[in-house]
Amino acid sequence: CIDFHHNVAKGFYFLDTMPGAATGTVLLTDPLNFWDGKRVKPRQEKNAEPVFEPATGRVLCQMVPCGAEEVEEAIESAHAAYLKWSKMAGMERARVMLEAARIIRERREKIAKLETINNGKSITETLVDIDISWQTIEYYAGLAGTLAGQHVQLPGGSFAYTRREPLGVCVGIGAFNYPFQIAAWKSAPAMACGNAIVFKPSPMTPVTAVVLAEIYKEAGVPDGLFCVVQGGADTGTLLCHHPKVAKVSFTGSVATGKKVMEMSAKGVKQVTLELGGKSPLLIFKDCELENAVKGALMANFLTQGQVCCNGTRVYVQREIMPQFLEEVVKRTKAISVGDPLLDGTRMGALISKPQLEKVLGFVNQAKKEGAKVLCGGEPFVPSDPKLKGGYFMSPCVLDNCRDDMTCVKEEIFGPVMSVLPFDTEEEVIQRANNTTFGLASGVFTRDISRAHRVAEKMEAGTCFINNYNISPVEVPFGGYKMSGFGRENGQVTIEYYSQLKTVVVEMGDVDNYF
């Protein structure tokens, strides 16, 4: 039975109910849209979609998609805020952003708890996600005051200079695996450059982006600078087609990414795409085996395997295959699956029932194609009765895999590791690159020359050497090939949220040409 009195969360005090919240108790009734500096009730309640708590399968709240009028209101609100924000000095913007980072740091436990309830990943992981979020905002606050152009000397005392100017209203479209962190990753560089942002979270994880919007407001951004509109594909289409939108940054699947690019092309809008992956992890016989095993677990089982840069094709040099498999299976079996709000849990629930069924379907398909399940790959029912409706599965290691199997070619987006043997460096590089994806890659070896040689030859936006899935905000993140283009994080992202103007100044007379 739900104790409505304690757990129906209201308004700004929404987060204050979190310390007492437990899995299976929270019910959210507040509006999830945000523009003009406040939460906005949906115009009409039709087309509401239930949002589930992955750990229990219980309905957490209703998500009502925004229609054309609401999208219009949000974009107008963002545009008005942009006109004010873009006129401020970078240092003034930085001050507001640093305050937002401070507030997030102060409330990290409450935000992490709400994120876990909505997303299903373990609280240990969401705390890291929230920390990365405030670090991202702090990092771009530091860059806001450094935006500068060049001065170019021309003959006769004439000169030119460049100005780095904001784009205007940017749209961010988020994914369900890192709801709060992706909102920070997209908003921080956009705002540092002087833009406003309208953010559409995944319809499955709508609740924490609004918290970020409230925090930005509290920190002192102009009303409308960070707006949240809820919805699925139809709302996304309205955003991509809107004439006042200058740029769209999308995180999600390749199929949807292609549509976003196509729609944005109609208005010649700039696009950043962070799409899927099927990244290779190369483990050579001269590796430090203990680290390689830990790296393989990091590359496959974070966020229940629902990470686009995961190293899900693990290539292990034949000589060490038996030791590697023995150790990786032992550790995979020991992963504690269950209530994501408990500190001891290392794997929570997948995002939805259809996603769970899809992942289990991939495991069955792998068996049919001849792969051998060494552990896991089954629905998991935790002992706690309140979790019996949750979307849990046991983490899975597949042996006897071949490059032509479905489980090795397609992105599973669940806790499934495919292990493949290899013999030579040359052969494994060729196999690793034989994919349409190119988000990440990894190599474990003690040979320094080999490490850099492999990194150079990997057709991917990131190569991890002797580690995996380390994404500090200082370092650019993004894809090659069909994993997308543009970058998030790092200094370079400033270029993706701004445009360059050249000003040419003549100090002499105009040539008498005519």
Side-chain angles (χ1 to χ4, degrees):
C1 174
I2 296 161
D3 181 356
F4 287 96
H5 182 70
H6 283 298
N7 292 313
V8 175
K10 278 279 173 220
F12 252 113
Y13 310 102
F14 190 57
L15 278 188
D16 294 337
T17 62
M18 281 300 114
T23 301
T25 65
V26 176
L27 193 70
L28 306 176
T29 56
D30 262 29
L32 298 170
N33 297 320
F34 195 97
W35 54 82
D36 282 336
K38 58 186 183 297
R39 289 186 184 241
V40 183
K41 278 198 170 71
R43 289 260 164 120
Q44 42 202 26
E45 295 289 343
K46 68 170 195 192
N47 304 331
E49 291 173 23
V51 175
F52 298 98
E53 179 179 28
T56 60
R58 202 180 53 94
V59 174
L60 179 64
C61 61
Q62 296 293 327
M63 187 282 298
V64 184
C66 286
E69 287 174 19
E70 289 160 303
V71 165
E72 185 64 41
E73 273 179 30
I75 289 172
E76 285 302 331
S77 164
H79 191 258
Y82 155 71
L83 294 176
K84 293 181 193 145
W85 183 250
S86 57
K87 299 279 185 293
M88 288 163 69
M91 286 295 282
E92 291 178 274
R93 296 200 289 264
R95 214 167 297 131
V96 175
M97 290 174 70
L98 287 171
E99 176 61 9
R102 185 196 65 75
I103 297 169
I104 294 169
R105 200 159 54 236
E106 200 174 80
R107 300 184 197 158
R108 66 189 280 272
E109 281 88 4
K110 293 175 183 175
I111 302 168
K113 209 164 184 186
L114 185 60
E115 184 89 316
T116 288
I117 288 166
N118 189 191
N119 160 283
K121 70 166 87 176
S122 77
I123 188 74
T124 310
E125 275 193 54
T126 47
L127 282 164
V128 174
D129 296 352
I130 306 310
D131 286 341
I132 289 174
S133 303
W134 67 252
Q135 286 160 14
T136 301
I137 296 167
E138 204 168 76
Y139 176 79
Y140 284 107
L143 289 181
T146 69
L147 302 186
Q150 271 182 315
H151 177 279
V152 182
Q153 292 176 338
L154 298 172
S158 295
F159 62 96
Y161 61 91
T162 57
R163 290 167 51 89
R164 196 160 276 294
E165 299 184 342
L167 296 165
V169 175
C170 300
V171 160
I173 300 177
F176 67 75
N177 52 355
Y178 291 86
F180 193 86
Q181 185 180 311
I182 290 174
W185 274 22
K186 292 190 189 307
S187 59
M191 286 162 55
C193 291
N195 303 290
I197 186 156
V198 177
F199 187 76
K200 187 193 83 61
S202 159
M204 290 187 276
T205 52
V207 305
T208 51
V210 205
V211 171
L212 181 61
E214 289 179 329
I215 288 170
Y216 278 138
K217 176 180 168 73
E218 200 180 327
V221 306
D223 284 354
L225 194 74
F226 180 82
C227 299
V228 178
V229 298
Q230 301 293 349
D234 292 349
T235 309
T237 301
L238 291 167
L239 291 166
C240 291
H241 282 311
H242 198 285
K244 270 204 171 124
V245 169
K247 177 199 168 96
V248 181
S249 174
F250 169 79
T251 300
S253 71
V254 174
T256 311
K258 287 178 181 174
K259 288 183 191 142
V260 165
M261 196 172 167
E262 200 179 321
M263 293 187 291
S264 304
K266 294 204 170 41
V268 197
K269 300 183 197 312
Q270 295 197 30
V271 176
T272 295
L273 299 177
E274 297 288 351
L275 309 177
K278 190 72 188 174
S279 301
L281 176 56
L282 280 45
I283 297 177
F284 286 89
K285 64 183 177 191
D286 67 354
C287 69
E288 164 56 65
L289 191 66
E290 165 83 358
N291 278 330
V293 169
K294 288 195 285 195
L297 297 170
M298 286 291 282
N300 282 274
F301 298 138
L302 285 176
T303 310
Q304 301 75 252
Q306 301 167 129
V307 181
C308 46
C309 49
N310 268 357
T312 49
R313 294 184 288 143
V314 181
Y315 291 95
V316 181
Q317 207 156 11
R318 210 176 291 275
E319 291 89 325
I320 59 164
M321 187 68 136
Q323 303 97 290
F324 175 83
L325 285 175
E326 186 188 350
E327 194 56 32
V328 95
V329 167
K330 190 172 89 185
R331 291 194 173 224
T332 302
K333 283 178 172 168
I335 292 171
S336 148
V337 182
D339 187 339
L341 281 181
L342 299 179
D343 289 342
T345 301
R346 283 298 168 268
M347 187 177 287
L350 276 77
I351 190 67
S352 69
K353 201 173 174 68
Q355 181 66 16
L356 174 63
E357 283 162 1
K358 188 178 151 196
V359 175
L360 294 169
F362 269 110
V363 176
N364 286 331
Q365 177 72 17
K367 283 193 239 178
K368 280 188 199 137
E369 293 178 25
K372 188 172 162 209
V373 177
L374 297 184
C375 66
E378 294 165 341
F380 179 80
V381 182
S383 52
D384 185 339
K386 73 180 175 193
L387 306 177
K388 69 175 190 298
Y391 317 132
F392 297 93
M393 71 175 275
S394 47
C396 176
V397 177
L398 297 175
D399 184 19
N400 213 26
C401 297
R402 297 184 316 274
D403 288 349
D404 61 352
M405 287 179 171
T406 310
C407 65
V408 177
K409 289 195 300 195
E410 292 183 25
E411 184 172 37
I412 296 175
F413 229 58
V416 181
M417 179 193 301
S418 301
V419 187
L420 306 99
F422 76 90
D423 294 298
T424 69
E425 181 184 322
E426 202 178 13
E427 159 228 344
V428 76
I429 287 170
Q430 191 263 317
R431 289 167 65 194
N433 286 333
N434 185 19
T435 170
T436 56
F437 293 114
L439 194 51
S441 57
V443 55
F444 275 83
T445 175
R446 284 197 183 100
D447 179 337
I448 188 168
S449 306
R450 167 180 283 150
H452 294 293
R453 202 162 55 229
V454 169
E456 186 212 337
K457 289 180 177 159
M458 285 291 131
E459 295 165 3
T462 299
C463 183
F464 299 101
I465 296 176
N466 292 334
N467 207 332
Y468 205 93
N469 271 343
I470 305 299
S471 297
V473 57
E474 303 94 320
V475 177
F477 175 83
Y480 277 19
K481 300 196 272 194
M482 284 173 94
S483 290
F485 53 80
R487 290 294 176 264
E488 296 198 307
N489 296 347
Q491 287 185 13
V492 71
T493 299
I494 294 296
E495 294 176 22
Y496 292 99
Y497 281 102
S498 58
Q499 53 196 344
L500 211 55
K501 178 179 282 174
T502 299
V503 181
V504 182
V505 182
E506 177 59 65
M507 297 298 282
D509 293 327
V510 177
D511 276 355
N512 187 10
Y513 182 72
F514 295 103

